[in-house]
Amino acid sequence: MPTQHDRTVPPTSGSPQRGLAATTFAALRRHRGTLAGAAVRIVGLCGLVGLLMTAAVFALAWPCFTRMRNQRIWYQQIEDPYLHDHTDLTRVALGALPFFLLLLCIGSAALQRVCSRAVAAVSRGPSKDDGAWAVGSGRLRPVLAVYALRGLIVWPLPLLAEEAAYDLTGPQLDTDQQVLERGSWLHTCVAASPAVAVFVAVLLRLALSLAPAAAAHGLGPGAALRRSWSLTWTRAGALRVLALTIPLAALTAGAIRLVVQLALPLRPLVRGWIEEATGNFFAAYYAGILAPVIVGILVAAAVTLPITCTAFAALHDQLRSSRTSPPRAGNTAGATA
């Protein structure tokens, strides 16, 4: 009885499949100029738009800064200490947060498209039209839609849990008639629900981490989310996603921390310049706090995002190939014996 040995299809490039690290570094090395240029352009443009948005937020919050300044002057006149209330500033910042998240999604989607094409070019092997993949803006909208859908799936749960837990167990409910008595098991469960919701959100985020790469590979937003879910919720897929996510997250956090520390001298410079230009201490104070953080995020994004996007694109390519590849010869021989 004939076996299925001859049904095994060799890789299209004519060479054995590389490992994850080899594929990632091959794409980064072979297309380093294209990837570096794309990272600088995308991060630079997003940084410029982000600075304009930050300036707009400061303009909207200027009445709050003016009120803080006037109250500080009044308290100094009556020789009382002044502790400013930043509740209004927090509301303005939360109102502007979706726009900054949208900007982050646009930049990540654009860079993910370029990195996924670099990985695909490496997987195909050298060709005379190598580099043509970097031209054009195809597949950007599906990747952007994946980022938006993933955010809507992952983050509402912990936010709603935090809001519900605060409404049911917050300090404003310290009365004898409160529904959830402090110390009861129900009060403890509700108070712990935000932590559980964050844990669930992290699991969902890990399960959908391959969706942008799948969308850049050619799938629609819904199909990309389903593929990421199916590839991740396997023993090999979950372990490999987790093994890739932890060092990349540590690299990103370490890069942001390092650059922010190196950029701390900007804080007094920005604070002094804005206070001298506007005469408002509080606007200068918050601008000085934000300056090194903004620099740290932009520099870390330019350095780590190409590595992260390329690595997840390579992982998606390998997990997809391992799922669609034919059975090994030894297994097929045993099945037909």
Side-chain angles (χ1 to χ4, degrees), residues 163-334:
E163 184 67 21
Y166 181 80
D167 290 339
L168 294 174
T169 64
Q172 76 279 5
L173 297 178
D174 286 336
T175 62
D176 295 336
Q177 290 81 25
Q178 65 183 27
V179 178
L180 301 178
E181 183 181 357
R182 291 188 177 274
S184 64
W185 66 270
L186 187 56
H187 183 279
T188 303
C189 292
V190 173
S193 61
V196 177
V198 169
F199 178 75
V200 173
V202 170
L203 291 181
L204 289 174
R205 177 62 178 78
L206 290 174
L208 302 178
S209 58
L210 301 176
H217 190 267
L219 295 181
L225 292 172
R226 290 192 295 270
R227 172 178 285 183
S228 178
W229 183 274
S230 63
L231 291 178
T232 304
W233 284 118
T234 60
R235 178 178 300 179
L239 291 177
R240 297 184 72 178
V241 168
L242 189 62
L244 181 62
T245 301
I246 292 176
L248 289 177
L251 174 64
T252 303
I256 293 176
R257 175 69 176 175
L258 176 62
V259 178
V260 168
Q261 290 297 317
L262 294 177
L264 283 180
L266 289 175
R267 182 170 293 176
L269 295 178
V270 172
R271 183 185 303 170
W273 178 74
I274 293 182
E275 186 172 8
E276 182 180 355
T278 64
N280 195 313
F281 167 79
F282 291 100
Y285 172 76
Y286 283 103
I289 291 177
L290 288 176
V293 176
I294 293 174
V295 172
I297 291 175
L298 292 178
V299 173
V303 174
T304 63
L305 268 183
I307 301 174
T308 300
C309 293
T310 303
F312 276 105
L315 179 59
H316 165 263
D317 188 64
Q318 290 198 355
L319 291 177
R320 180 183 59 85
S321 299
S322 63
R323 168 167 290 192
T324 57
S325 60
R328 294 183 178 179
N331 293 339
T332 56

Side-chain angles (χ1 to χ4, degrees), residues 62-72 82 88 280:
W62 202 258
C64 301
F65 294 132
T66 302
R67 185 168 59 253
M68 291 178 181
R69 181 195 61 187
N70 295 336
Q71 289 179 349
R72 183 189 183 207
Y82 171 62
D88 293 336
N280 195 313

